[in-house]
Amino acid sequence: MAARPQNDETALFLNRIKGYMATHHMPQQGCKVLVALSGGADSVALLHVLLQLGYECVAAHCNFHLRGDESMRDERFTRTLCQQLGTRLEVRHFDVPARMATDGSSLEMACRDLRYEWFEDLRRNENCKAIAVAHHRDDNIETLLLNLLRGTGITGVAGIKPVNGHIVRPMLCVSRNEIESYLAAIGQSFIVDSTNTQNDAYRNRLRNIILPTIRQYFPTADAGLARSLRDLLSCNELYESLLSKRIAEIVTTSNDCTIIDIKAINNEPGATALLFAAMRQFGFNSTQVTEIFESFNSDRAAGKHFYAGTHRADIDRDKIIIAPIVGQEYITIDMCAPDENNPIGLKISKIDLSNFNIARVCDGRHKVCFGRDIAHCKHLIARHWQDGDRFKPFGMHGRSRLVSDLFTDLKLSEAEKRRAWLLEADGEVVWVMGYRSSEAFRVAPGNGIAYLFSIE
């Protein structure tokens, strides 16, 4: 590609990005880099910058076919651009609805996973040093504010990482306005995604409504937030380093199990943060970790267990034992589409209480009814009974008892006990399937919506 003439403004823009890449130890000039190219201003500028700085670039464009003619327009633009710049372009067409149907992911997550899986395959096949994506300073500020509004820890407030494995983000040091000024200075056009102007997504509302208002009343807000992000990123790197060293001192492994020393954690400042850092790699979220921390500081901690995706955590006196879940002892229940072929044959029906007789249909054993709030549970699972399980039997006015005591009353054999399934909603046992329901999610009197759970 023939070098474009540079004025002082474009030279300064290039040098800032060059310095930022060096500071964060991104691949050196001359290396082969895969560039994610959508055709928007950010990715077009990124490709130009990397070519100007002397990188060997291979561009990659994803066509998700989600915006009709616009999707094909974007692809045509990237093909023309790369032809003009003398850069090889790889294009992949994706079936997003099929991916969503396969793994149950959202539209956004399906696109993200498809995109980065393909980028990584390309990177390896092309022997590229990195995958360069075009996030900029404004994206980082939006991410910080979104994370704060949703609730986050120090990692969330540190914003977008400049380097994350093989993914690099060279333009986090420049703003969207600076990017568009650079493109105008070199005479380069770009395309605009029409969905960016629609305020149906949280990020778009923040970008199009909230941030412009903040900038109106606080003109230096962007510079201040960018400074905070830089400092928080540095603090987070130190925080992660210290956590790793401390975790190594309180966590041991034995066979397939990870063992966490409860006493050691209790003696630490920021004990819940340390516990979360030790458990998040196994899929446990901050809410679960808080509950686990509170549990092992209670009188009835021993015997409690918690589930997170592929792993289970058991509290055993002075330690937490985390192990992979084996076989069918744990099933995630989808309220919208329970798997009727699962080992328990669970069915869920949404019912209108105005024309439904609970007393006539529900027996409290094989058919039970729960109030509408059960649909808002984040973790609804079916699992086998374990020693120490407790629940609040329906009709006992909130008093809890051991599930094992119920089994004793019913004169169940040990084999029958071990075959029993429990329904757990956000960590609370709400139904001993086939035997007794609990007080949890009791149906409110009057008309409204409830859910009928039944097993064969």
Side-chain angles (χ1 to χ4, degrees), residues 328-376:
Q328 286 284 357
E329 72 171 37
Y330 167 100
I331 302 168
T332 299
I333 305 299
D334 184 346
M335 286 287 294
C336 298
D339 182 2
E340 296 186 1
N341 297 316
N342 63 47
I344 54 177
L346 176 68
K347 294 181 174 62
I348 302 175
S349 304
K350 189 176 181 179
I351 59 176
D352 182 350
L353 293 174
S354 62
N355 53 24
F356 185 86
N357 190 320
I358 294 178
R360 183 182 302 167
V361 176
C362 297
D363 60 11
R365 298 170 61 239
H366 299 91
K367 294 183 178 181
V368 300
C369 202
F370 295 108
R372 65 191 306 164
D373 286 348
I374 199 167
H376 302 307

Side-chain angles (χ1 to χ4, degrees), residues 22 41 84 100 131 161 167 228 350 396:
Q84 293 171 346
M100 294 169 66
I131 302 164
K161 291 183 178 180
I167 299 170
S228 297
K350 189 176 181 179
M396 289 186 63

Side-chain angles (χ1 to χ4, degrees), residues 6-18 174:
Q6 294 182 15
N7 56 33
D8 291 344
E9 183 181 344
T10 59
L12 179 61
F13 183 84
L14 291 170
N15 285 332
R16 281 177 61 193
I17 295 174
K18 178 181 177 181
V174 294

Side-chain angles (χ1 to χ4, degrees), residues 15-27:
N15 285 332
R16 281 177 61 193
I17 295 174
K18 178 181 177 181
Y20 186 79
M21 294 180 73
T23 298
H24 293 283
H25 309 292
M26 297 185 194

Side-chain angles (χ1 to χ4, degrees), residues 280-322:
R280 64 183 173 186
Q281 62 182 304
F282 303 106
F284 292 92
N285 60 39
S286 59
T287 301
Q288 289 174 303
V289 169
T290 299
E291 186 177 350
I292 290 168
F293 182 78
E294 291 173 350
S295 293
F296 67 61
N297 283 307
S298 71
D299 295 334
R300 295 174 176 173
K304 278 203 170 187
H305 42 266
F306 301 83
Y307 292 84
T310 59
H311 285 76
R312 162 179 158 168
D314 293 295
I315 299 177
D316 183 13
R317 297 179 184 174
D318 58 352
K319 56 183 176 290
I320 300 170
I321 302 173
I322 302 173

Side-chain angles (χ1 to χ4, degrees), residues 14-241:
L14 291 170
N15 285 332
R16 281 177 61 193
I17 295 174
K18 178 181 177 181
Y20 186 79
M21 294 180 73
T23 298
H24 293 283
H25 309 292
M26 297 185 194
Q28 297 178 345
Q29 291 168 269
C31 290
K32 190 176 183 181
V33 175
L34 183 72
V35 182
L37 181 65
S38 68
D42 312 332
S43 65
V44 170
L46 176 63
L47 180 59
H48 269 281
V49 166
L50 293 178
L51 289 170
Q52 286 286 335
L53 292 178
Y55 289 87
E56 180 186 352
C57 296
V58 177
H61 177 76
C62 300
N63 190 334
F64 295 114
H65 294 278
L66 296 175
R67 292 180 289 116
D69 292 340
E70 271 196 15
S71 294
M72 298 311 300
R73 175 208 64 179
D74 297 354
E75 181 181 326
R76 289 192 297 270
F77 177 87
T78 58
R79 289 187 184 278
T80 300
L81 174 66
C82 288
Q83 188 175 24
Q84 293 171 346
L85 297 178
T87 301
R88 185 157 62 85
L89 173 69
E90 295 288 336
V91 176
R92 174 66 64 88
H93 294 250
F94 293 100
D95 186 345
V96 180
R99 179 58 174 258
M100 294 169 66
T102 299
D103 60 16
S105 58
S106 66
L107 175 66
E108 182 180 3
M109 289 307 298
C111 290
R112 183 188 184 284
D113 291 344
L114 287 167
R115 177 168 59 243
Y116 282 106
E117 286 168 10
W118 179 52
F119 288 165
E120 178 56 24
D121 287 342
L122 268 180
R123 184 197 66 79
R124 288 197 302 265
N125 294 337
E126 296 289 339
N127 197 28
C128 293
K129 290 290 186 182
I131 302 164
V133 293
H135 293 112
H136 49 75
R137 190 181 75 177
D138 295 12
D139 292 324
N140 210 4
I141 289 172
E142 291 166 10
T143 299
L144 164 65
L145 295 177
L146 281 173
N147 287 343
L148 284 171
L149 291 170
R150 291 168 177 159
T152 188
I154 187 170
T155 301
V157 297
I160 304 171
K161 291 183 178 180
V163 178
N164 187 9
H166 289 111
I167 299 170
V168 298
R169 299 177 171 91
M171 298 205 303
L172 284 176
C173 59
V174 294
S175 69
R176 170 73 183 208
N177 285 340
E178 289 171 319
I179 288 170
E180 292 190 5
S181 295
Y182 166 73
L183 291 175
I186 64 173
Q188 176 62 62
S189 62
F190 55 89
I191 57 176
V192 177
D193 183 343
S194 62
T195 62
N196 288 340
T197 62
Q198 299 171 7
N199 294 325
D200 54 344
Y202 289 129
R203 186 177 288 272
N204 283 4
R205 293 173 198 164
L206 193 63
R207 178 183 299 154
N208 300 329
I209 302 172
I210 306 301
L211 276 170
T213 304
I214 291 175
R215 289 167 182 143
Q216 179 183 351
Y217 292 100
F218 300 90
T220 61
D222 286 272
L225 289 167
R227 232 179 2 258
S228 297
L229 279 164
R230 181 196 63 208
D231 295 342
L232 286 165
L233 178 64
S234 179
C235 289
N236 186 55
E237 289 171 349
L238 175 61
Y239 172 74
E240 294 285 352
S241 175

